[in-house]
Amino acid sequence: MDAGRTGGGEELFALRRPALILGAISSVALLAGAFADTEQFFRSWLMAWVLLVMISVGGLAVLLIQYLTGGIWGVLMRRPAEAAASTIPIVGLGFIPVLIGMKSIYVWSHPEVLAHDALLQHKQAYLNPSFFTIRGIAFFALWSVIAMLIVRWGRGLDERHDPWVELRLRRLSGFGLLAIGLTLTFASVDWLMSLEPHWFSTMYGLSFVIGCLLSGWAVLTMVVVRLARSEPYSVVVEPTNFRDFGNLMLAFVMLWAYTAFSQFLLIWYGNIREETPYYLTRMHGGWGVIAVVLLMFHFFLPFTLLLMRPIKDRPATLGTVAGLVLLMRVIDVFWIAAPAWLGGHGGEAAASHPAVHGAPFHVSWMDPAAFIALLALWFVLFLGSLRKRALLPLYEPHVKEALSHAG
């Protein structure tokens, strides 16, 4: 069955040209906006770029989990997860605009602010442009090396099924998951939590890591649902496989809700002057509306739908839920980051005035433009990587048996 071995997925790959056109148009509009409002451009870029990091590194984490745990669900996810992980070095180039626009994004990068802020001076050993840059480069170097090795060794199994290679994959996966969890925690502090450098939360890093897993899983689920419409996936995939995808998405949704609520509860109960402004800002006005939207559509609705077996067994409905989760991930990143700039410099107002009520709600047209442009171009890059080889791991017994029967 040649199509099952080297081709297939025509419906998915047909989306590449529309995605490229959409990404190009959005990018041109975004670049035009950069000349009109450079500060807003860099802020919009940061939010969209962080989401790409979440998806690509989340895809890598899913791949590592699969090699550690096994299961047919992971076999079906493996090639899309490899393609997502392979985009990490290119996504890392998006760190360059963040460095260029650092003064438009982070209040701690302003010497004049630092000179009059004792707390920022205390944090200067960690929050300074040079160390910030070094950490970012180190994060992407580590993620890229892990992705390169796991993808290369995994593809080598298609040529020769070697038990020692499988053992190396498991060992690398165990180390990689620990390393990714640790580095993502520091990355969340650097790129998002430091937008409001007076504020802190011990749950922030864990919530960010879970958000990465959920973002990557939602995208991979949507891809597999699309691939299942044509060979070779249509030959191999069964309803129980989609049920597994839905169950894992349910677990990630619940973990995200648990960490998000735990952070809120700890801060609200502690009632510390330096901590409560974060939620005071985000619970009023338009930001409060978004908080309700996240509560309803990022947790309650997906949670309810994913409890129903018919929803999980049907690719169309599962794909719709995954699309909803991805949209909520976009809104969540915006809700986390955008209020930090209400005071002009990143987080300055929220840090200085802990009783912010009715903070102005503002959405620039560059915010959705940045998300659309970067997501569309990432999708084009992802499809290019996915199409380089067979869509299914050919050495897997389940895959080989299904394809042989179909042939």
Side-chain angles (χ1 to χ4, degrees), residues 5 13 63 66-67 77-89 146-162 165-166 168-169 172 381-396:
R5 297 180 68 84
F13 293 116
L63 183 60
Q66 195 280 320
Y67 276 118
M77 283 284 186
R78 190 175 298 168
R79 292 297 184 249
E82 287 178 350
S86 298
T87 65
I88 290 176
I146 294 174
M148 179 190 68
L149 291 176
I150 204 78
V151 171
R152 177 182 297 176
W153 293 348
R155 291 179 175 179
L157 287 176
D158 271 358
E159 303 170 1
R160 185 170 64 92
H161 191 194
D162 187 344
V165 175
E166 289 188 312
R168 282 194 297 172
L169 284 167
L172 177 60
L381 182 66
F382 167 84
L383 290 180
S385 178
L386 183 62
R387 198 164 199 173
K388 290 180 179 179
R389 63 193 312 260
L391 291 174
L392 290 169
L394 303 179
Y395 64 88
E396 291 288 343

Side-chain angles (χ1 to χ4, degrees), residues 162-234:
D162 187 344
W164 288 106
V165 175
E166 289 188 312
L167 180 60
R168 282 194 297 172
L169 284 167
R170 292 193 186 98
R171 288 175 174 174
L172 177 60
S173 297
F175 164 78
L177 281 175
L178 291 174
I180 288 173
L182 181 63
T183 51
L184 280 177
T185 299
F186 282 98
S188 69
V189 173
D190 286 1
W191 302 336
L192 291 180
M193 193 162 75
S194 73
L195 293 173
E196 298 167 279
H198 287 209
W199 180 77
F200 57 89
S201 167
T202 54
M203 291 291 294
Y204 199 90
L206 179 59
S207 184
F208 185 83
V209 171
I210 299 301
C212 291
L213 282 170
L214 183 55
S215 301
W217 188 256
V219 171
L220 295 178
T221 299
M222 293 168 65
V223 168
V224 173
V225 165
R226 194 80 180 189
L227 286 171
R229 299 180 182 181
S230 57
E231 295 183 353
Y233 270 76
S234 59

